[in-house]
Amino acid sequence: MQKKMNPTLKKWLLGIAFVMAAVAMVVLLSVFFNEKTPDTDALKDVKPYGLLAEPDDTIDVLIFGDSEAFSTFSPVQMWEEYGFSSYVVSSASQYISLTDSFVKQSLAHQKPKVVFLETNAMFRKMTADKPLESTLERIFPVFQYHNLWKNFDPANVNENEDDYFWNNALKGFKYISIVNPSKKKDYMKATGKRKPLPASNESYVESIINTCKKHGVEPVFVSAPSTVNWNYAKHNTVTDLAKKYGVKYIDLNLENAIGLDWSKDTCDRGDHVNYFGATKTTAYFGNYIKNNFELADRRNDPAYSEWNTLHEKYAEVTAGSKSKI
Amino acid sequence: MKFTSYISIAYLAIFLPAVILLYTILPKKVRPFVLLAASFTFFWFISEWLICYILISIVSIYLIALWLNKLKDKRNALVKEAENKEQKKAIKKKSGRNQLLVLLLGVLINIGILAVIKYSPFFFVNVNLFLKLIHSSARVSVPAFAAPIGLSFYSLQAVSYIHDVYKEKIKADKNIGRVALFMSFFPVIMEGPICRYADTAEKLWSGERLHYRNVTFGAQRIAFGILKKIVIADRLNIIVTTIFKDHEAFNYDGGLILLGAILYTIELYTEFSGTIDVVIGSGEMFGVTIPENFRQPFFAKSISEFWQRWHITLGTWFRDYIFYPVTMSKPMKKMTKNCRKKLGRDYGPLPASIIAFFCVWLCNGLWHGAGWEYIFFGMYHFALISLGSLILPLSNKLLAKLHIDRHKLPYKIFTILRTALLVCIGEMIFNSRGLHDALGMLKTLFTRFTFKSIFDGSVLSLGLDGHDIIILCVTLAIVLTVGILKERGKDPRELIASTPIFVRWPIYMLLVVYTVVFGAYGAGYIPIDPIYANF
């Protein structure tokens, strides 16, 4: 006679089987939701992923960071004025660990001349979860791409096409026309103080620099103008960091030539610049890039003909602001 | 490792499983120490050296309780030896006074720490405001203290322990380890519920082995809590933050402010009750029944009933340790007696109750935060509850005249909706950025109320798209269904567990898939910090 299994043991084994089935389900979901899943207009924050829709090795300048990056730098304007291609890979309240992941992912597809790292995210305090989240996202892509459900079409899964991702016409820039003035104007008072980086953040900055160097790309720090988020103590910390790693650093908060008017050029009392502030900052920043890095003018390059059509969409999106100026 | 929430990978995928594993493999005698070590480690991860504060609280209540016990033993021995009733009475009176002094010493230490850390900055800021008001140039310096995690929760547990020993509801514990674990058990330290010694201490220290049913039921409860937090609360966070942060700048109308108030209330409920699900589920895994903190609050038909269903353990704490002691105090009893004679049976007990309610709601407001908006939040509820008691006899008469039956469904629905609306306005005050902001929102609500921005589609520009709204509706329907089942005395987990494996497994699996796919997490979403962990 066959011996019956202990009922308690059987229960525990069933429980373990369920956990394994749940993990298998997450693996299965990752087949449907991953980097190659078509169309991501529906992604909650399409901006950073939109770069994946760009043909490989076509972007000259990449800018990484949090909301400061996508509200300040306009790649279409830089193309129009200076003729190089750029993309802003950023998302709101981005943690530096996520920036690190985005840099790795982006440089696997693009070979830019220069990578700018907006510095605000360096000071965002991380929880123990952030590196764990990045690891989980790498193992199970569904945790990163689950928001694709919003436009999910099973018929397209794993089709071998190039345009998996929604091609972001503003190239990662976010157009904000709201005017909400800032009263704080003397936020960059010189001081010898330093604002320390939160623990473990520097290791991610180092990792980003190393990734760039490994790919033969020059990393540069840039601080976007913000009366709320930026001050001289942070400037000093980043200056030290730049020296330590031998990286160039431009703090746009100190570049008075930009001509920002905080009573008009911000959408949220100085937290971010609005479209008007972005236009001024981008003009200045584009000129800085042009003068400091050898970038070809591609406006007559037939391979970049699509970039010459971007201004139409850009004009359409920003049309509303003309009446406000 | 730094924990910011129970709903985090660090807690759910590393800390909790590690504790469960250690608890399982170690012998019964060691298990309570595993929980204690885990609890102190958890505390250390969050607050580091501030752990000293909870250690002071633990040692103080342990010694105070033993002291009380000693006084009681001494009193009993003396009473036994007493020769007559007079003597006995005198002994009891003297001992009673001494015990009260010892109890007050314990309360002073524990509430004193809470008061200094949490309220002294607020106090001194207001002293300076007062000095400015009377045109004095003197200023006091405002102190700043770092608060340990869960200070407002464990301080109340400490007081309840010594008070219950004083009232002889429980015996003083001679085992300091058990007192320490009762005070610091890691699942409840951050956001409560506020436990009572009699409910959890014994079970926590028993070191009972893990049971399959407890572990699986606990895991299910945790999974449901995660669903509430990351599918609903984190998704609503986008629109709620937008409305509350920018309502002045964008001149939002009253309709949008009301929508913000309603959505914030749902966010707060799903965040707080979702976290409490994770807390109770964690306790359940170790066989510990942590008291429930919510009982379908939005089915309440009055504000006072709402507070018996929402943050229950805080409400019962205020009832047992503030409301009763105030109403049962000698002067209050005397007042009630006099009032009964003058005002009659209906209104006679009211003045004493209203004074007690005032104390409760002032403390409740302040417990939630040191700020005038929180005092306003408390006074709002005090006014509603007092008004409710005052007009009850009148409204009874009016309903009888109009032939409206309180027990009929339409009236019940009316009272449920009325209560929910009043609660939402209260939570709007709670979430405002200060008293001035709260009053501004209230003004907009009453002077510029239109549904224009809700119907003209501008509400869709606040961060949620149509897809989000569908998911919110579906998930809220699930939460509502669970609530209705519970309200009818049915336990959804029991119902599912009683089905065959080919039915229940797909249900559990659906819960996992639903949360993974529809959760509002990842790039672009900003999860809310645990709202109650800051208290």
Side-chain angles (χ1 to χ4, degrees), chain A residues 11-12 14-15 17-18 21-22 25 29 33 44-45 49 91-93 98 102 127-129 132-133 136 142-143 146-147 149-150 178 180 269 271, chain B residues 1-2 4 8-10 14 210-212 215 235 238 245 249-250 463 465 467-468 471 501 505 508-509 513 516-519 521 523-526:
Chain A
K11 273 186 190 170
W12 282 108
L14 266 178
F18 180 81
M25 187 54 95
L29 284 172
F33 298 98
K44 171 67 201 135
D45 208 314
Y49 298 106
S91 59
S93 294
L98 189 61
F102 279 138
T127 58
D129 263 24
L132 292 172
E133 272 171 20
L136 264 186
V142 62
F143 289 118
H146 63 106
N147 275 309
W149 68 269
K150 287 186 176 178
I178 299 158
N180 191 1
R269 302 185 205 99
D271 198 345
Chain B
M1 202 182 307
K2 186 116 184 142
T4 47
S8 63
I9 304 168
I14 297 175
L210 295 183
H211 293 276
Y212 177 78
V215 173
R235 180 166 267 116
I238 309 165
K245 187 178 149 205
F250 295 109
D465 58 25
H467 289 90
D468 287 313
I471 286 300
I501 195 165
W505 271 37
Y508 299 145
M509 199 57 85
V513 172
V516 169
V517 176
F518 300 126
Y521 62 91
Y525 283 109
I526 305 155

Side-chain angles (χ1 to χ4, degrees), chain B residues 258-368:
Chain B
L258 180 66
L259 182 75
I262 294 170
L263 296 182
Y264 175 69
T265 308
I266 298 173
E267 177 188 319
L268 183 66
Y269 172 65
T270 46
E271 191 278 328
F272 191 20
S273 76
T275 304
I276 292 297
D277 284 332
V278 175
V279 167
I280 294 180
S282 302
E284 200 170 358
M285 287 182 152
F286 297 99
V288 180
T289 311
I290 292 169
E292 290 292 341
N293 230 9
F294 292 94
R295 199 165 42 81
Q296 298 77 257
F298 296 103
F299 287 114
K301 292 187 271 305
S302 67
I303 290 289
S304 52
E305 191 193 347
F306 176 82
W307 282 93
Q308 289 159 23
R309 290 164 169 266
W310 170 284
H311 208 173
I312 299 170
T313 55
L314 181 71
T316 49
W317 194 95
F318 282 127
R319 183 196 65 197
D320 293 347
Y321 304 106
I322 292 184
F323 187 82
Y324 286 158
V326 172
T327 45
M328 293 299 165
S329 64
K330 271 183 195 162
M332 285 295 152
K333 274 186 174 170
K334 207 172 158 189
M335 188 169 92
T336 304
K337 211 173 161 187
N338 287 337
C339 290
R340 265 186 209 276
K341 280 182 202 160
K342 286 176 191 156
L343 301 171
R345 269 176 50 189
D346 277 348
Y347 288 107
L350 271 183
S353 306
I354 287 178
I355 291 171
F357 276 138
F358 177 78
C359 298
V360 164
W361 285 103
L362 181 66
C363 293
N364 190 310
L366 279 172
W367 183 88
H368 282 94

